[in-house]
Amino acid sequence: ELQLLESGGGLVQPGGSLRLSCAASGFTFSNYAMTWVRQAPGKGLEWVSAISGSGGHIYYTDSVKGRFTISRDNSKNTLYLQMNSLRAEDTAVYYCAKGGEYKWLDPWGQGTLVTVSS
Amino acid sequence: EIVLTQSPATLSLSPGERATLSCRASQSVSNYLDWYQQKPGQAPRLLIYDASTRATGIPARFSGSGSGTDFTLTISSLEPEDFAVYYCQQRFNWPPITFGQGTRLEIK
């Protein structure tokens, strides 16, 4: 069964950092692009970042460029999102999803909540 | 950036009725258009990809149509578990991948 499990969310002060992880199982992880999507409380879905299967191609939405870094460790079947210089507007549930690079997103993890507040 | 506009924002129907949800793109996305369902407290779930192909395990009452700029998600006969928020998403011209703002399907 394909499964994605996020971790690493929590409460952080403005300007702080967090690293999210997404552990994948049930498929050949290195063969697929992976994507992070976030959802602010009560709001819609926002694409954040994507990475190719090899890790050689990386993409970000403009609002996180220079602050967030996506990466993957194919030996550990794990996707990461390093988030620095966090702002209140980064508060959201962060989902990882299999897909991206012109492929649909399926499945999605259960999400991890990031709250940026003093 | 391609903007996706979904209508209506809220749709109030009864179980057994037919639901028609619309998604319009600001420019052509060919058929690179997907639909997701999200229930409260849950992650989104893929329903339809490439505008009209049902994802694995999705019931036949869900169907998608359209190409270019105008797309439709149809639920032929609503079941109680279908009341949720539905999002369209394009992956033709990216980054960024963009989502519509969502249509809330509620019980009348």
Side-chain angles (χ1 to χ4, degrees):
Chain A
E1 179 189 2
L2 278 70
Q3 191 168 11
L4 299 171
L5 186 62
E6 300 99 334
S7 60
L11 174 64
V12 61
Q13 292 188 339
S17 298
L18 276 179
R19 188 176 83 153
L20 307 183
S21 299
C22 171
S25 60
F27 63 100
T28 304
F29 183 67
S30 59
N31 285 355
Y32 294 92
M34 296 292 294
T35 295
W36 288 99
V37 174
R38 67 185 177 184
Q39 186 170 37
K43 303 297 185 182
L45 302 171
E46 180 188 23
W47 176 82
V48 174
S49 181
I51 186 169
S52 63
S54 66
H57 298 275
I58 286 174
Y59 316 89
Y60 299 101
T61 193
D62 285 348
S63 63
V64 309
K65 283 179 183 175
R67 300 188 301 122
F68 290 12
T69 302
I70 192 172
S71 63
R72 63 192 298 159
D73 184 336
N74 287 344
S75 69
K76 295 182 177 179
N77 291 348
T78 303
L79 173 72
Y80 302 101
L81 187 67
Q82 177 68 44
M83 304 186 295
N84 299 331
S85 303
L86 282 161
R87 306 166 179 168
E89 54 265 35
D90 296 317
T91 294
V93 174
Y94 284 73
Y95 297 101
C96 64
K98 170 179 165 283
E101 282 199 324
Y102 299 104
K103 298 293 284 187
W104 51 89
L105 303 179
D106 181 53
W108 298 50
Q110 87 290 348
T112 187
L113 176 62
V114 173
T115 303
V116 184
S117 175
S118 55
Chain B
E1 174 177 324
I2 294 178
V3 176
L4 299 179
T5 302
Q6 292 186 240
S7 61
T10 303
L11 185 57
S12 299
L13 294 170
S14 300
E17 290 193 292
R18 182 184 186 89
T20 303
L21 287 67
S22 175
C23 177
R24 176 164 289 178
S26 58
Q27 62 190 80
S28 176
V29 298
S30 184
N31 70 330
Y32 287 73
L33 191 287
D34 309 315
W35 291 93
Y36 299 87
Q37 176 194 66
Q38 188 178 33
K39 297 180 180 179
Q42 296 185 16
R45 177 176 72 145
L46 177 70
L47 296 176
I48 302 286
Y49 63 91
D50 290 346
S52 60
T53 304
R54 273 191 306 278
T56 302
I58 301 303
R61 64 180 182 273
F62 290 91
S63 63
S65 63
S67 66
T69 61
D70 290 297
F71 300 87
T72 300
L73 174 69
T74 301
I75 310 171
S76 59
S77 179
L78 286 165
E79 298 288 341
E81 62 268 26
D82 297 338
F83 292 91
V85 179
Y86 292 84
Y87 294 95
C88 60
Q89 173 236 304
Q90 70 82 23
R91 50 187 163 82
F92 175 72
N93 187 350
W94 75 283
I97 285 173
T98 52
F99 294 88
Q101 81 280 14
T103 290
R104 181 177 305 276
L105 179 55
E106 64 177 28
I107 299 177
K108 187 174 183 179

